[in-house]
Amino acid sequence: DPKVAPLIAARDIANVALEAAKLPLKDIPVIDHSFAGEISATIDISGIYGTVNATFDGYSALSGDLSFDPEPKACIKIPGFGEACAAF
């Protein structure tokens, strides 16, 4: 069908391009780990604040707090390293 022939040709070209792009990556080992992060922010009468949490393979990788009163800053706690804060 002439209406779909260009779409089929474009799909085939895209598949060939994808396979060509994968070639240099075939020697890179597969890293199978799980990393997840969550940022939660709350606005109420006391101001804006929030938390940051990240896990790596089910273990806590970091946790932290966000605050905007009186100055905006973020603090994170990394197990084994302690806490670090930065204004922004």
Side-chain angles (χ1 to χ4, degrees):
D1 184 0
K3 292 181 181 180
V4 295
L7 296 174
I8 294 170
R11 182 200 63 195
D12 291 343
I13 291 169
N15 284 333
V16 170
L18 178 61
E19 291 304 315
K22 286 194 230 176
L23 287 175
L25 304 176
K26 68 179 181 170
D27 295 326
I28 296 175
V30 174
I31 300 171
D32 188 19
H33 293 283
S34 173
F35 183 79
E38 179 180 302
I39 299 173
S40 174
T42 303
I43 301 173
D44 64 17
I45 60 172
S46 64
I48 302 172
Y49 54 92
T51 60
V52 177
N53 293 296
T55 59
F56 182 75
D57 284 346
Y59 297 98
S60 177
L62 66 87
S63 63
D65 301 301
L66 302 170
S67 65
F68 295 88
D69 186 38
E71 292 180 25
K73 73 174 182 174
C75 296
I76 61 167
K77 297 174 205 100
I78 302 173
F81 294 98
E83 182 177 69
C85 295
F88 55 92

